[in-house]
Amino acid sequence: MALSGMRGLSVFISDVRNCQNKEQERVRVDKELANIRTRFKNQRGLTAYEKKKYVWKMLYIYMLGYDVDFGHMETVALISAPKYAEKQVGYIVTSCLLNENHDFLRLVINTVRNDIIGRNETFQCLALTMVGNVGGREFSESLAPDVQKLLISNSCRPLVRKKAALCLLRLYRKNPDVVNVEGWSQQMVQLLDERDLGVLTAVMSLLVALVASNPDGYTNCLSKCVYILERLTKSQDILQEYTYYGIPSPWLQVKTMRVLQYFPVIEDSTIRKGLFDVLHRILVGTDVVKNVNKNNASHAVLFEAIALVMHLDADKDLMSQCVALLGKFVAVREPNIRYLGLENMTRMLLVADVSESIKKHQAHIITSLKDPDISIRRRSLDLLYGMCDISNAKDIVEELLQYLTTADFAIREELALKAAILAEKFAPNLAWYVEVILQLIEKAGDFVSDDIWYRVVQFVTNNDDLQAFAAAKAREYLDKPAVHETMVKVAGYLLGEYSHLLARRPGCSPKEVFHIVHDKFPTVTTPTKAILLSAYVKILMHTQPLDQELQVQVEEVFKRCENVVDAEVQQRAVEYITLSRKGSSMVDIMAEMPKFPERQSALIKKAEDTEGESTEMSATKLRQQQNSMALVVADPGPANGGLPPPSEQLALPEPPPPSVETAAIPKAYVNGTSSPHPSASTNGDLLGDLLAPLAIEAPPVTTPPPPPSQVDDPGDPLALALYDQQVNQIKPIGSIEDWFRALSLKDSGVLYEDPYIQIGIKSDWREAQAKVVLFLGNKHTASLVNVRVLILPAPHLKMQFSQVPDTIPPRAQVQVPVEVVCLSASRETAVLDFSYTTSTLPVSVKLRLPTLMNKFLQPAPISASDFVAHWRALVGPPTKLQDVVRGVRPMPVSDMGDLFNSLHIGVAPGLDPNVNNIVAATTFYSQAGATLCLVRVETDPSDRTQMRLTVASQDPNATYELKEFIKEQVIDIPVAPVPAPAPSPAAWGLTGPAAALVGLI
Amino acid sequence: MILAALVMNTQGKPRITKFYVPLGVEKQQEAIRTIYSALSQRPEDSCSFVETEDIFGPDTKLVYKHFATLYFIFVIDSSESELGMLDLIQVFVETLDRCFKNVCELDIVYNFNKVHTILDEIVMGGQVVETNSAEVLKAVQDIWKLERVGDLNVPSVRGIGSYRSKS
């Protein structure tokens, strides 16, 4: 056994190892620290060897978990020592003990710099490594140019250069300006020609970071990266040492494919084709072999290839190959491959429309949910969560519930939350939903937040058919031996409201219900007690004429609570005693709770919010988010018609029409109490808000009643006021203008969204034709009826679309494919006239469809001579038109070039020698054929608000329209004021109870 | 990025710890304890990945390999390939094996300083420096040669000149 080479160090390590317990170890370590401290204090006579030994000992002690708060100076000083051995110790230990903000580091910047620029390569390596590990901003400022020089130097050995590359990466992270220098991207291109694979791997790591923060700045590296990948996969001139178990540097392959995922979509068709060939080769050429290490390496490459395919929007073939591979992986035994199979399948769900093929593997995925390995269980849970939709929700949620009973603690919370969200999002019917949540509370009550049971109450209240069922279920659960407090809350609430519907069933008389609920009373916390008190008074109220015996018992409970310290309980007790003596007029006051207005589930909202918080997002991730916005519900029901009858769906909760029934609203509010409830009123989240109108959580009531309206029924002024305000509530949640603008440059995204519906668009533009699919997603828990979709095509477009069903079931999505053919050039867009009715409110919106002219354009690569020839051939109007455009949004010429490119008007850089001019060419496609259009923009550097625009093409109409279109895009139109966000639903909850309370008590 | 490289034994004693993100000594020890308790509970035939969101934040996981009495662990974020890291651990271990001829835990305990040198040749600032075991070995042996030269010549100044000319 080789020893450290330092006897003192070895002896110390032995001593520590021989310690019987932590206490002895501490004593030994303290003794050593004291010794080192003394020796360092009196440096005279301390040899270099001893210094080195002590510093190593310090590192060892530090690793054991003891804070070493001295000796840093001595450590750092070793860096300046002339001898290699000391210097090396100094550098290594410094990078372990100190962090980038440590003051002492500043003291050695000069020494470090001298080592870096010196000619001793071993010193250079040490310095680069230390800076690469702990270098901070100051290092970045003073060392970056020197490190850059080493990286691109021809005379340095690869050993130094690869370290320089990674050191530069660290410095770049601390201060991005260090590489934001003119021509650096060109340097990167040259560095990619490197033959040494070690250096190339390090350079690739650097490139990943650079591209991640500036994808457009390094597009010139794209073709090189693809070439490197080709070379590696074909094993062309790869040194034997760089093959790992027969595979040419898997790390470099992986890193290169990683870089490619940070670039936006690759446009160049030759590069794309080359890349697809490589990917294809990897996908089909990877076999499972016996050797574990070889398997690992080849699959590392394979998984990265799959990730890249997902990013590239590859064709169907490659995509389905990936799905097939992943399907194979989720079924294998080898745990690493299975884990990654599950993980990548989850990612795949988000980018591509593959949910149908993934569903085939549901059985295997569920098996993994029961794997002994928690990592695999987590992945499986995530995947099941992601692939769940209305068609398989029942199976998946029931699987999750079943697993919940045996699941270990580490995963229960997540499991419960996911089951609750899925049950709500995709419930085939509401009774099932209620049952799932009650089971959830029974099995994992600790993890079922109040949000979840509030939601149950909301659904039950809004659905008359559900009330008896829910009350009966609640009654059943209270019979079980150990009942979770959350169950007591929800059961107490439901039985209070609806147990009278069960009165004729055995064991469900008001008295029996009261007793079974009251059994739990002594063991529950105060807030629950308050809920139970309300339940008692309601149970009592429903016995008409009042059951004397029950009244005595209930009053006794109230009396006992009259002096409770908790203000809420006390107040309820006092008020309910008084109310219960009011005889039959109590019925009005204690009437059933009114229906709730429709709200977004806070649970789902929370889940959505947490999804978008990742910091360094790859382009793939960004795209996933955009896509997931476009697809509200992954319900692949038949596109048009053929949807299941609404009665089977969550169609039940329809708020009552504003007629007789709503008269109950003002009265019903009374059964709350007027005490302020800080938790509900200060709680900004949607749930507190959702519960605001719930009597038990009612916010303080201070507003005066609204003025009576001119409705015939004078007893019902509030109901109307409420509904009036609700009409105003249906506003888009966002700006229609912003959505449209985003879609004019993108092919998919949101067109419109309000609290009830989301309209997403996915489109595919092929020359003069386009396939546009509108996704109408009902976000609501009731059906949307009278759905009408009309497309008013512009005269230059031929549009065809199929019939849209009249009704969209709750939580369902309807797809409307639209075929578009462009007949001639025009700036006009088609308009979607869309209307629907929710509950009682008709909504109608007119939306511009992003069938803009630029969608029928494709950038035309053109050589200088061709351009000039065409340009000269077209002389003057009407084929060549020129305008001076004023009021241009001021922007640098490069930004304008980017704008043109994003509009598919391909800028030809360098064609015009004047840097203030832009020359661009594009092909306009219409049914008549392709027209080459040439554009020239001359800007005035002294006044960026004006420019001269010349457009030329064979087709006078296209020339004119394109010119006008470009003008519209560059002119600074004052942005229409963004519609005010819909008023918070809480706002109207406040007005109701007040009026009623004032009137009735 | 690699956030940390750790070697600990199956009793949870750290043998090599190297953090590439700044972390106080308390936090480091807490991380080591949490990692150990996660790893020690894992059944055989588990996969080599453990999600570590509660220690290192979202999107991080540890990739580990179990050899005899030791765990070799890399903590990574989502920008690294999991299997690639597993390969890198293999490279690390193979290199140790070549350096110490059938490496065992004691070699690492008593030579933790040398192991640091080796690790620095493989990972730097959280990025892979070199994946070729032979290349790593060569670099490390050069360093050790220089070190010995330095030690033998502790009192003499001549030593410096002698290795400088060698390099």
Side-chain angles (χ1 to χ4, degrees):
Chain A
M1 186 185 66
L3 286 182
S4 65
M6 272 172 275
R7 217 182 94 77
L9 181 58
S10 300
V11 169
F12 172 65
I13 294 173
S14 277
D15 283 358
V16 170
R17 272 173 50 78
N18 289 334
C19 290
Q20 300 293 318
N21 52 41
K22 195 80 192 161
E23 197 40 48
Q24 283 185 13
E25 183 187 287
R26 174 170 285 283
V27 172
R28 180 67 187 89
V29 165
D30 282 345
K31 189 178 144 205
E32 193 61 42
L33 285 176
N35 175 39
I36 299 173
R37 203 189 296 259
T38 331
R39 297 305 307 266
F40 275 159
K41 240 184 215 156
N42 185 4
Q43 292 239 357
R44 249 186 307 157
L46 203 60
T47 64
Y49 172 80
E50 281 172 311
K51 277 190 215 160
K52 219 175 80 177
K53 181 178 74 181
Y54 291 136
V55 169
W56 276 122
K57 279 184 182 173
M58 278 165 47
L59 180 60
Y60 192 80
I61 292 171
Y62 181 76
M63 178 180 76
L64 293 177
Y66 298 90
D67 201 2
V68 181
D69 55 0
F70 67 94
H72 295 162
M73 190 57 164
E74 286 77 3
T75 310
V76 171
L78 281 178
I79 291 179
S80 312
K83 299 191 193 76
Y84 179 81
E86 288 160 56
K87 205 182 247 307
Q88 189 228 7
V89 178
Y91 272 125
I92 291 187
V93 178
T94 297
S95 69
C96 291
L97 286 187
L98 305 189
N99 68 36
E100 62 182 67
N101 299 320
H102 208 290
D103 285 340
F104 289 165
L105 281 179
R106 222 173 285 156
L107 303 176
V108 285
I109 287 192
N110 266 333
T111 316
V112 174
R113 176 154 193 268
N114 286 334
D115 283 344
I116 286 179
I117 59 178
R119 299 219 328 275
N120 185 324
E121 290 192 331
T122 45
F123 286 9
Q124 286 176 329
C125 285
L126 287 176
L128 290 170
T129 305
M130 193 276 280
V131 176
N133 282 331
V134 290
R137 204 180 159 87
E138 283 179 59
F139 277 93
S140 190
E141 279 157 10
S142 46
L143 300 179
D146 299 321
V147 178
Q148 275 181 17
K149 255 181 241 153
L150 287 186
L151 174 58
I152 56 183
S153 138
N154 291 323
S155 54
C156 279
R157 277 205 298 158
L159 185 68
V160 178
R161 294 181 52 217
K162 65 191 176 197
K163 291 186 177 173
L166 295 180
C167 185
L168 189 60
L169 169 56
R170 168 92 189 186
L171 299 180
Y172 169 70
R173 289 231 162 98
K174 295 294 150 195
N175 176 15
D177 293 339
V178 300
V179 301
N180 286 350
V181 285
E182 198 73 22
W184 185 251
S185 71
Q186 205 46 47
Q187 290 288 3
M188 288 305 291
V189 175
Q190 281 171 20
L191 283 168
L192 291 176
D193 285 331
E194 175 63 47
R195 306 305 282 181
D196 182 283
L197 294 194
V199 177
L200 198 50
T201 307
V203 166
M204 209 55 95
S205 292
L206 176 61
L207 186 60
V208 169
L210 296 178
V211 176
S213 54
N214 179 13
D216 298 327
Y218 291 89
T219 39
N220 51 356
C221 297
L222 252 173
S223 60
K224 281 276 158 56
C225 291
V226 174
Y227 172 69
I228 290 169
L229 212 51
E230 277 175 344
R231 215 178 96 202
L232 286 170
T233 47
K234 288 183 185 155
S235 274
Q236 282 168 350
D237 64 322
I238 305 297
L239 281 178
Q240 182 57 35
E241 297 87 84
Y242 277 96
T243 54
Y244 174 89
Y245 290 91
I247 298 157
S249 185
W251 297 275
L252 184 54
Q253 293 195 45
V254 166
K255 270 275 178 271
T256 313
M257 287 193 269
R258 197 49 75 104
V259 171
L260 291 170
Q261 288 168 61
Y262 284 98
F263 284 110
V265 176
I266 299 169
E267 303 279 359
D268 186 315
S269 57
T270 12
I271 298 182
R272 223 174 136 83
K273 184 173 177 309
L275 183 55
F276 279 155
D277 288 348
V278 170
L279 290 172
H280 182 77
R281 204 169 318 127
I282 296 173
L283 291 183
V284 298
T286 309
D287 296 319
V288 178
V289 291
K290 268 237 171 92
N291 185 313
V292 183
N293 294 321
K294 185 179 171 124
N295 237 359
N296 270 346
S298 63
H299 283 78
V301 173
L302 180 56
F303 276 113
E304 206 58 48
I306 292 175
L308 184 54
V309 169
M310 284 191 247
H311 168 74
L312 287 174
D313 249 343
D315 55 44
K316 276 247 152 38
D317 275 357
L318 271 183
M319 214 59 145
S320 55
Q321 251 173 355
C322 290
V323 179
L325 277 171
L326 292 176
K328 207 173 81 188
F329 295 154
V330 299
V332 297
R333 272 189 94 144
E334 211 288 303
N336 288 340
I337 305 294
R338 185 144 48 98
Y339 173 93
L340 293 171
L342 292 165
E343 186 177 48
N344 282 281
M345 210 179 237
T346 312
R347 273 196 237 154
M348 185 125 220
L349 267 179
L350 297 171
V351 284
D353 187 20
V354 289
S355 51
E356 280 313 304
S357 25
I358 286 180
K359 277 185 200 160
K360 290 184 207 137
H361 306 287
Q362 193 167 316
H364 282 127
I365 299 166
I366 286 177
T367 315
S368 284
L369 187 63
K370 295 158 189 160
D371 197 275
D373 179 353
I374 179 124
S375 301
I376 289 186
R377 290 201 299 272
R378 282 232 161 87
R379 287 298 113 235
S380 156
L381 176 58
D382 258 13
L383 177 53
L384 286 172
Y385 178 71
M387 65 190 276
C388 193
D389 64 25
I390 211 156
S391 72
N392 56 10
K394 235 177 138 180
D395 294 342
I396 289 182
V397 172
E398 273 156 25
E399 236 5 282
L400 297 186
L401 282 176
Q402 200 195 5
Y403 171 47
L404 197 55
T405 26
T406 53
D408 46 326
F409 198 75
I411 200 173
R412 291 189 89 166
E413 180 166 11
E414 205 182 335
L415 198 56
L417 187 70
K418 292 204 156 142
I421 293 175
L422 292 180
E424 173 169 353
K425 257 178 144 171
F426 303 116
N429 61 64
L430 280 173
W432 178 82
Y433 170 74
V434 170
E435 209 172 337
V436 165
I437 300 298
L438 291 178
Q439 273 190 52
L440 204 56
I441 296 173
E442 189 203 4
K443 288 174 173 163
D446 283 345
F447 300 125
V448 179
S449 61
D450 283 346
D451 316 2
I452 298 175
W453 79 262
Y454 291 170
R455 195 72 176 156
V456 172
V457 166
Q458 198 195 1
F459 277 122
V460 173
T461 308
N462 286 7
N463 291 276
D464 301 339
D465 302 3
L466 203 59
Q467 293 164 350
F469 168 81
K473 276 281 161 201
R475 166 78 183 72
E476 268 173 41
Y477 276 103
L478 283 189
D479 270 342
K480 306 220 167 175
V483 182
H484 193 274
E485 181 157 342
T486 306
M487 185 66 87
V488 178
K489 287 183 192 167
V490 63
Y493 186 93
L494 291 175
L495 289 172
E497 288 289 324
Y498 307 114
S499 64
H500 61 280
L501 302 173
L502 311 175
R504 292 194 186 160
R505 302 191 192 178
C508 294
S509 72
K511 247 181 273 171
E512 283 164 304
V513 170
F514 167 70
H515 282 299
I516 191 160
V517 176
H518 193 54
D519 267 357
K520 317 292 176 208
F521 194 81
T523 57
V524 295
T525 58
T526 321
T528 310
K529 285 192 166 119
I531 295 173
L532 295 189
L533 292 184
S534 300
Y536 300 161
V537 77
K538 291 215 167 190
I539 294 172
L540 176 65
M541 177 271 292
H542 279 296
T543 60
Q544 286 300 342
L546 288 187
D547 180 327
Q548 295 300 322
E549 203 182 321
L550 183 62
Q551 187 173 15
V552 172
Q553 289 171 349
V554 169
E555 259 185 42
E556 200 177 311
V557 177
F558 291 154
K559 280 209 179 106
R560 250 183 285 139
C561 294
E562 266 181 335
N563 297 318
V564 169
V565 182
D566 182 79
E568 181 66 37
V569 172
Q570 190 190 47
Q571 187 161 7
R572 286 193 193 204
V574 173
E575 287 178 2
Y576 291 160
I577 290 183
T578 320
L579 287 174
S580 65
R581 288 177 186 151
K582 276 194 174 287
S584 61
S585 60
M586 182 168 95
V587 177
D588 296 335
I589 303 161
M590 288 293 162
E592 234 169 66
M593 291 298 288
K595 311 285 184 204
F596 289 86
E598 190 57 38
R599 306 263 163 93
Q600 186 187 6
S601 159
L603 193 62
I604 292 177
K605 187 176 164 9
K606 256 191 225 163
E608 283 168 358
D609 287 351
T610 47
E611 274 162 19
E613 279 175 3
S614 162
T615 40
E616 211 179 69
M617 279 194 286
S618 74
T620 313
K621 268 197 182 164
L622 276 169
R623 226 154 37 97
Q624 285 169 1
Q625 288 197 341
Q626 287 160 2
N627 280 358
S628 62
M629 277 200 301
L631 302 165
V632 192
V633 184
D635 174 24
N640 296 296
L643 284 154
S647 60
E648 277 296 293
Q649 303 268 329
L650 294 181
L652 298 163
E654 282 176 18
S659 59
V660 201
E661 289 169 47
T662 34
I665 290 182
K667 294 166 189 158
Y669 277 115
V670 179
N671 61 5
T673 73
S674 57
S675 76
H677 199 296
S679 69
S681 50
T682 52
N683 189 349
D685 79 359
L686 239 110
L687 261 169
D689 172 42
L690 173 128
L691 260 266
L694 244 185
I696 46 169
E697 296 274 338
V701 168
T702 45
T703 7
S709 64
Q710 320 86 317
V711 180
D712 298 341
D713 179 3
D716 189 18
L718 262 173
L720 203 96
L722 295 182
Y723 276 92
D724 271 345
Q725 273 169 326
Q726 211 179 4
V727 174
N728 298 335
Q729 268 180 39
I730 305 183
K731 280 189 176 159
I733 46 179
S735 152
I736 294 179
E737 185 57 34
D738 285 351
W739 287 321
F740 176 77
R741 216 173 306 148
L743 278 171
S744 64
L745 300 178
K746 281 192 311 184
D747 288 344
S748 63
V750 175
L751 181 69
Y752 173 82
E753 184 169 2
D754 68 23
Y756 295 88
I757 195 162
Q758 186 192 47
I759 306 180
I761 276 197
K762 253 190 160 176
S763 53
D764 186 13
W765 306 84
R766 294 273 157 85
E767 304 191 345
Q769 296 180 357
K771 282 199 175 67
V772 179
V773 185
L774 299 172
F775 295 85
L776 313 178
N778 180 358
K779 297 158 63 181
H780 186 42
T781 45
S783 294
L784 300 179
V785 292
N786 299 331
V787 177
R788 197 171 51 100
V789 173
L790 265 182
I791 293 179
L792 318 168
H796 68 291
L797 298 173
K798 193 165 85 189
M799 298 178 84
Q800 271 187 336
F801 68 105
S802 36
Q803 215 47 57
V804 178
D806 184 51
T807 307
I808 306 179
R811 308 277 183 216
Q813 192 187 61
V814 173
Q815 301 185 3
V816 186
V818 184
E819 305 272 344
V820 185
V821 180
C822 176
L823 305 174
S824 65
S826 168
R827 290 160 290 142
E828 303 285 304
T829 60
V831 170
L832 174 69
D833 181 357
F834 174 75
S835 58
Y836 67 91
T837 306
T838 162
S839 49
T840 52
L841 306 164
V843 177
S844 172
V845 280
K846 285 202 171 51
L847 305 163
R848 280 190 292 162
L849 288 172
T851 52
L852 284 159
M853 185 167 180
N854 64 311
K855 304 281 185 184
F856 302 104
L857 297 178
Q858 265 174 29
I862 191 163
S863 69
S865 54
D866 282 356
F867 188 94
V868 174
H870 281 102
W871 190 257
R872 293 222 173 106
L874 300 163
V875 277
T879 52
K880 190 189 227 170
L881 297 171
Q882 191 168 76
D883 253 2
V884 173
V885 189
R886 294 184 206 285
V888 175
R889 196 159 71 238
M891 57 182 125
V893 176
S894 60
D895 285 10
M896 188 171 292
D898 291 346
L899 175 69
F900 277 38
N901 280 326
S902 66
L903 294 169
H904 300 167
I905 304 172
V907 173
L911 253 178
D912 194 317
N914 185 339
V915 291
N916 289 309
N917 294 352
I918 293 178
V919 163
T922 184
T923 311
F924 168 71
Y925 291 94
S926 70
Q927 211 176 28
T931 315
L932 179 68
C933 305
L934 306 175
V935 179
R936 180 153 186 249
V937 174
E938 293 148 280
T939 65
D940 176 359
S942 61
D943 180 6
R944 290 250 171 254
T945 64
Q946 60 175 352
M947 66 183 211
R948 187 156 68 185
L949 170 67
T950 316
V951 179
S953 83
Q954 294 286 359
D955 174 1
N957 179 41
T959 308
Y960 176 76
E961 293 291 337
L962 182 61
K963 184 193 69 162
E964 292 303 309
F965 177 74
I966 293 174
K967 270 162 73 176
E968 281 174 12
Q969 299 298 319
V970 297
I971 287 179
D972 190 11
I973 309 164
V975 178
V978 180
S984 148
W988 73 270
L990 284 169
T991 51
L997 209 76
V998 171
L1000 279 158
I1001 295 189
Chain B
M1 171 178 186
I2 301 167
L3 308 176
L6 309 168
V7 180
M8 65 172 80
N9 74 2
T10 42
Q11 259 89 56
K13 280 229 180 297
R15 293 311 185 195
I16 296 294
T17 61
K18 180 100 186 172
F19 290 84
Y20 298 100
V21 284
L23 216 58
V25 68
E26 291 294 321
K27 286 267 172 219
Q28 291 185 4
Q29 292 302 315
E30 195 188 317
I32 291 167
R33 279 193 300 271
T34 326
I35 291 173
Y36 173 68
S37 76
L39 293 189
S40 59
Q41 286 167 14
R42 290 178 67 70
E44 282 301 312
D45 296 335
S46 295
C47 69
S48 308
F49 319 119
V50 179
E51 281 142 44
T52 54
E53 307 207 328
D54 32 351
I55 321 174
F56 290 94
D59 262 351
T60 59
K61 56 182 80 162
L62 48 94
V63 175
Y64 73 100
K65 248 184 167 177
H66 183 177
F67 290 93
T69 59
L70 291 174
Y71 291 119
F72 286 78
I73 304 147
F74 282 171
V75 185
I76 58 169
D77 66 12
S78 60
S79 69
E80 298 290 339
S81 145
E82 292 91 341
L83 289 176
M85 284 302 118
L86 219 46
D87 295 338
L88 198 65
I89 292 177
Q90 185 66 26
V91 169
F92 185 30
V93 175
E94 281 177 15
T95 312
L96 290 175
D97 210 45
R98 287 178 176 192
C99 284
F100 298 110
K101 312 273 176 298
N102 286 326
V103 65
C104 69
E105 186 182 345
L106 281 185
D107 291 323
I108 293 176
V109 174
Y110 284 102
N111 294 288
F112 81 103
N113 50 346
K114 291 188 176 174
V115 179
H116 267 287
T117 321
I118 296 171
L119 184 59
D120 273 354
E121 292 301 317
I122 298 176
V123 181
M124 165 180 159
Q127 302 290 334
V128 181
V129 192
E130 185 53 72
T131 56
N132 171 355
S133 177
E135 191 74 19
V136 175
L137 197 66
K138 209 172 105 235
V140 170
Q141 275 165 351
D142 282 350
I143 291 172
W144 290 347
K145 224 178 284 165
L146 288 175
E147 246 183 299
R148 262 197 305 277
V149 172
D151 280 349
L152 291 176
N153 294 294
V154 171
S156 88
V157 190
R158 195 164 42 87
I160 308 165
S162 66
Y163 66 66
R164 189 167 279 174
S165 57
K166 265 187 180 177
S167 62

